[in-house]
Amino acid sequence: MRFPEDVPVLTDGVVTLRAHTAADVEPAFRMCQDPVMQQWTTIPVPYLREHAVNFLTEVIPNGWRANTLWAWAIEYDGRYAGTIDLGDGEGGVGEVGFAVTPDVRGNGVMTRALKLAVRYAFDELNWKRVIWRAFVGNWASRRVAWKAGFRGLVTIPGGGRARGVRKDEWVASVGRDDELEPQGNWWSVTELEGRGIRLRALRESDAHRVMEACNDERTQYWLAGLPSPYSLEDAEGFIKGRLQMLADGVGVSWAIADAATDELLGNVSIFDLNHRIDPTMGEIGYWAHPDARGRKVITTAVELVIAHAFTPIADGGLGRRRLVLMAAAGNSASAHVAEANGFTRVGHERLAAPLRDSAYDDLLVFDRLIGD
Ligand SMILES: CC(C)(COP(=O)(O)OP(=O)(O)OC[C@H]1O[C@@H](n2cnc3c(N)ncnc32)[C@H](O)[C@@H]1OP(=O)(O)O)[C@@H](O)C(=O)NCCC(=O)NCCS
């Protein structure tokens, strides 16, 4: 191919992919000064003007000529807004890399550009599969890949490398016959409010209250799976992990906060939302901070979550048909929450609830169907 004459122009009417020009060097250089860019990509740091000159005027043109790298400037709103490239391609499988300038992020530019490039890989380069990689924690990139139909995400500990340092990596891919549309649900935490409480996303600043609640003797006794003792790092890890739970489609976890002071009073979650056999079910779980017990905080939180869970996905809910709730037979406060919320006791499993002291209690199973 000749550069730039043979570089195809791809557009969806909003975003255009075109050959780079010398005028793109300056904005590309500026984009690479962005700390977010430096954190999540393998560009040299410090990033010098000569790096941009070399990449845009040597590496990219040579890549097109040699059929080894297909890189476009992303044009949006009449100006350079980033770069996207396809690389490798041996055996019909290659990788995609991308970045957009900080000022245009969050407008769907990258998702549009990614779909255009992936279509080109399949239709013109005849690839069978495109691979996306990102360092673990690059949620914006993961979201873009998810929106463009990348699937089968796995985490490879130490699988990535930037400037001589190994990093955990996410990898996902999309195949030629796959739809370039999201696969599976990426849930969000809808705020729910009623009777003096607000259900909202957990925040880093909740960590201390989470630690207190999870170190409490009663919480520790009935939730035998919790680390013991439960450290501040455990709490921070729990809060960070909620994002993963949403993105994986597994569940939604809310902080139960005092509507007036915003102080954390407890936690309510609904999980197993991507149950392999019945993706219309969900299981509810909760704990209360010791100073919030005995005032119907959890009963109210569960009531709010039930209404949200039975609301169709199209209307912003979780589209559930059946909810289950389990409680150890001796945990009468928990059974009370279930019964107060219209759950029916449908099962009694013998010695199925492990307790903190290596003993087992019977497990009561409750359910509630959408029509109940
Ligand atoms: C990754 C990047 C290209 C995304 O560009 P963008 O133009 O913002 O992408 P889009 O607008 O198409 O989509 C971004 C999505 O991520 C979401 N997002 C952003 N930050 C997020 C976060 N911390 N957690 C969850 N979602 C997040 C946005 O809300 C948006 O989703 P939505 O449209 O459903 O609301 C941009 O952040 C970037 O250039 N980062 C630096 C370089 C980089 O990381 N490249 C990828 C290396 S693998």
Side-chain angles (χ1 to χ4, degrees), residues 300-361:
T300 304
V302 169
E303 184 188 333
L304 294 170
V305 166
I306 292 170
H308 181 63
F310 284 141
T311 301
I313 292 178
D315 297 332
L318 301 176
R320 299 299 103 182
R321 180 190 62 83
R322 174 174 175 264
L323 297 174
V324 297
L325 201 159
M326 319 232 184
N331 191 352
S332 49
S334 188
H336 183 77
V337 168
E339 279 154 3
N341 271 297
F343 277 78
T344 303
R345 197 174 117 185
V346 291
H348 186 125
E349 299 182 8
R350 292 184 301 158
L351 300 183
L355 305 179
R356 177 62 53 181
D357 54 11
S358 302
Y360 287 84
D361 195 359

Side-chain angles (χ1 to χ4, degrees), residues 34 36-37 40-41 98-101 104-112 132-135 138-141 143-144 147 186 243:
D34 168 37
V36 172
M37 178 77 187
W40 298 120
T41 68
F98 48 74
V100 295
T101 54
V104 309
R105 286 180 199 155
N107 290 313
V109 170
M110 197 63 250
T111 306
R112 289 173 175 277
W132 158 89
R133 301 169 179 274
F135 298 136
N138 190 352
W139 288 104
S141 182
R143 179 102 178 157
V144 167
K147 287 196 293 177
W186 182 318
L243 220 47

